[in-house]
Amino acid sequence: MASRAPVRFPGSGGPGVNKHLSPRSARSDSMGERRRVSAWSEDGGARAGGDPGGGGGRLVPLLRGIFHVEKTSCDVSLTSSRLLWSPIRPDTPGSSKVQAQPQEASIELKDIFSVKLKRRRLAGQEKGGTLLGLTIFVCIRKGHKLKEKAIDFHNLSEDFCDIWHRQLKEILNGFPNRPKCLKVIINPHSHKGEAPNVYYRHVAPLFKLADIQAHVTETNYKGHALTLLKECELQEYDGIVCVGGDGTVSEVVHGLLLRAQMDAGKTVNGNLSPVRAPLPLGIIPSGTTDVLAYSLHGIKHPVTAALHIIMGNIQPVDACTFSTEDKLLRFGFSSMFGFGGRSLALAEKHRWMPSSQRRDFAVIKTLASLKPDNCELSFLPISSQQLPFHHKRKHEDSLPEDKDEWKHIGGELLNVSIMAIPCLCSMAPGGLAPNTRLNDGTMELIIVRNTSRPEFVKHLKRYATQKNQFDFPFVETHLVKEVKLCPQNTQNGNGFYEHTELSEDLHPWNIDGDLLEASSEVHVR
């Protein structure tokens, strides 16, 4: 995306390994007016200086000394990229046996997020106490999940431990992207009111451990986060953290990007060529589906999300503008029109119900009165020359060679999905839009033409399985960079929004889980 709002989200080589190198995020935009939001995520991060590969020849130690680790005396060395230790085994006089070489253990400094002096204190004592040594806090990975691990290095010398503590702190402070001060926005009403508990129980202690100052605001009404971001002194912070569900994240992303345009003196309209947001956005999932957090982290896990933020793992993320009649409606990542929009509109009218029951009720009732929308759809496909590398083999033969040839589709459509991210969630582990990526400059357009209710239900059920959900004659997909969708007048005099009690002139869109009603053509870029 041409504008960036940071979100924090892991590489196969450890929490700090960057699978997508930064030149991609800084590239010139050759795919049209795409917006990009940066997020703290699993694919971001950077290495410390020193041993660039982490596995080369041994470096000259910066410090070396003796600590007790797990009740064993160890020779400990600190290099510019690693902390290494091996047990000290004294020679046995008179023994002719060849002793095995002590096994060396190590951790990469890029995986350490905090170091503290360990002291024994009396009950109620907050300062001072008897020094026991150092505690190193490490971020470790198991699959997509990250968790913390504490390793104690015991030594009773104050001067000795102080030297090590200061040296380690200096190295940790030199890592790029690691935040020191964050603005935290919590939606206390998200998913049964769990967001404050998620933050204060699982996230806040980790931020405190990493010496991150957090300025917390709990939102009081819909649009509060947007108002806050318009007025907030963003230069005081290293990033924004959002604690909530998809709707909260969408509002914060829209606010960040809107603020960036205001600060740049841009005229905000449908023809906007946006600038990037100046700060990264960290997402702590505490909603029902948490599509963006799931797509970023590969898992819905607050501690994993918090550790990606702490470690400074930054992932560029594509976003879109939604506009109509030269008016910017909002920034967002994904949208659905037709069945997806009408079911959300119905769910919004029953907010008194628990969230999971409300969603199921709306889907079932919308299925019961399933009707198509008469639409005119135009889209600008990605040409073969613009196709990202990971799509080449799969899609190259089916794409046009012309760079700007619009395609047109008309008729009765049950659902239209336009998504700039894969949209993974527990109900669709493979993603609602599996052919796009977080930052490959494409949107996936999924068109479901009119068909029978049983066939449409089969299509929906495929999302929860490993089968291809698009393998139906009434479903087609395209990789695109722009889409225009214009609903036509309905053939039936009563309209087809009667079960949602919407005006015939307003057509419901589901944009990142938020309901948006538009009366004319919507342009997505």
Side-chain angles (χ1 to χ4, degrees), residues 474-502:
F474 54 87
V475 179
E476 58 182 280
T477 67
H478 305 272
L479 289 175
V480 302
K481 51 187 175 181
E482 290 190 53
V483 177
K484 296 178 181 178
L485 191 151
C486 184
Q488 303 297 302
N489 293 330
T490 58
Q491 296 179 359
N492 128 347
N494 296 324
F496 47 76
Y497 294 120
E498 51 199 355
H499 61 285
T500 64
E501 301 180 13
L502 290 172

Side-chain angles (χ1 to χ4, degrees), residues 110-423:
K110 68 181 182 64
D111 294 338
I112 298 174
F113 67 90
S114 183
V115 55
K116 300 291 183 183
L117 291 170
K118 183 178 182 180
R119 297 183 183 275
R120 181 189 291 118
R121 290 174 176 149
L122 301 175
Q125 184 180 2
E126 296 183 359
K127 295 183 178 181
T130 304
L131 179 71
L132 300 178
L134 298 171
T135 300
I136 307 292
F137 295 91
V138 184
C139 176
I140 61 175
R141 177 191 309 281
K142 187 174 183 180
H144 289 299
K145 186 178 290 187
L146 303 184
K147 63 179 183 178
E148 62 164 311
K149 179 181 179 180
I151 305 174
D152 293 324
F153 291 79
H154 290 102
N155 189 300
L156 303 182
S157 171
E158 287 271 4
D159 293 339
F160 182 76
C161 289
D162 182 63
I163 292 171
W164 279 75
H165 180 257
R166 283 189 285 107
Q167 182 70 66
L168 282 165
K169 291 284 287 186
E170 182 181 342
I171 293 174
L172 295 186
N173 288 336
F175 284 106
N177 301 326
R178 294 197 179 184
K180 299 300 179 185
C181 186
L182 296 170
K183 179 65 183 178
V184 180
I185 300 173
I186 302 176
N187 180 1
H189 307 292
S190 177
H191 189 50
K192 304 177 183 178
E194 292 180 356
N197 180 58
V198 166
Y199 176 75
Y200 289 110
R201 183 177 179 183
H202 299 289
V203 179
L206 289 172
F207 283 175
K208 182 178 179 180
L209 193 60
D211 298 321
I212 296 174
Q213 294 183 9
H215 299 226
V216 181
T217 298
E218 293 191 12
T219 57
N220 298 320
Y221 54 88
K222 186 176 179 62
H224 188 180
L226 182 60
T227 302
L228 180 69
L229 289 168
K230 286 182 179 179
E231 302 171 352
C232 184
E233 297 293 335
L234 295 182
Q235 67 272 15
E236 298 178 2
Y237 305 105
D238 299 316
I240 307 295
V241 174
C242 173
V243 188
D246 290 326
T248 309
V249 173
S250 178
E251 183 179 330
V252 172
V253 167
H254 178 64
L256 268 176
L257 289 172
L258 201 58
R259 172 64 183 272
Q261 314 318 308
M262 294 167 55
D263 291 347
K266 292 274 188 176
T267 301
V268 179
N269 56 35
N271 296 317
L272 175 70
S273 296
V275 298
R276 297 172 183 265
L279 295 177
L281 171 64
I283 300 176
I284 307 296
S286 56
T288 305
T289 52
D290 296 298
V291 164
L292 184 55
Y294 205 117
S295 298
L296 284 162
H297 307 138
I299 190 172
K300 179 183 173 180
H301 189 238
V303 170
T304 295
L307 286 171
H308 280 306
I309 295 171
I310 291 169
M311 302 301 289
N313 299 336
I314 292 185
Q315 168 67 51
V317 182
D318 290 338
C320 312
T321 56
F322 297 84
S323 58
T324 181
E325 296 178 346
D326 200 33
K327 175 186 176 183
L328 177 69
L329 298 175
R330 68 178 301 144
F331 295 97
F333 299 103
S334 63
S335 62
M336 287 186 283
F337 177 86
F339 176 81
R342 292 200 301 276
S343 60
L344 177 63
L346 182 59
E348 288 296 308
K349 297 185 67 66
H350 295 79
R351 292 199 70 86
W352 53 270
M353 300 175 67
S355 58
S356 58
Q357 294 181 21
R358 181 171 70 242
R359 182 186 64 227
D360 294 343
F361 165 79
V363 168
I364 292 171
K365 190 166 182 180
T366 307
L367 279 173
S369 54
L370 185 67
K371 295 180 181 178
D373 295 292
N374 189 19
C375 302
E376 289 292 334
L377 181 68
S378 304
F379 60 92
L380 189 58
I382 297 293
S383 67
S384 57
Q385 292 89 344
Q386 298 168 324
L387 191 66
F389 178 77
H390 59 269
H391 287 306
K392 288 282 184 186
R393 226 175 249 183
K394 186 175 181 181
H395 298 279
E396 192 168 22
D397 294 338
S398 62
L399 291 174
E401 294 185 3
D402 300 294
K403 292 187 176 182
D404 294 305
E405 181 183 344
W406 283 83
K407 305 293 183 182
H408 305 277
I409 293 176
E412 295 185 334
L413 308 178
L414 283 178
N415 191 72
V416 177
S417 299
I418 308 164
M419 300 179 172
I421 61 174
C423 293

